[in-house]
Amino acid sequence: MKKVAKLLLNKIPRPMLIKMSIWARPLIYQLFKGDQFYDPIDGRSYRKFLPYGYGKQRKMPFLQVH
């Protein structure tokens, strides 16, 4: 799933992704429906989250606490 998300984010232009997300949202909810995490905004529960961005985060030295 992570590879598919990464491919989609890199190959499809952002405006098209936004238009597609309107139609894909109900399908994605059905795939991730569960009882592990609760979203108080929409009142739904999910078993896992969609991948967001990439797994490897870059270091941000200006955010480090000394």
Side-chain angles (χ1 to χ4, degrees):
M1 183 70 179
K2 289 181 182 181
K3 288 183 180 183
V4 173
K6 185 176 179 179
L7 178 73
L8 290 175
L9 292 174
N10 286 330
K11 298 295 181 184
I12 301 175
R14 175 95 31 211
M16 190 179 290
L17 283 172
I18 293 169
K19 289 178 184 176
M20 289 170 44
S21 72
I22 295 169
W23 299 103
R25 195 172 298 157
L27 175 65
I28 291 171
Y29 171 68
Q30 292 300 321
L31 291 173
F32 287 88
K33 185 169 49 173
D35 60 357
Q36 184 75 24
F37 303 101
Y38 176 74
D39 183 2
I41 295 172
D42 65 3
R44 295 181 176 180
S45 295
Y46 301 93
R47 64 182 169 86
K48 65 180 185 176
F49 292 112
L50 279 171
Y52 181 79
Y54 301 106
K56 188 175 181 180
Q57 296 290 324
R58 64 182 179 184
K59 289 186 177 185
M60 294 187 198
F62 56 88
L63 293 178
Q64 292 179 351
V65 179
H66 297 286

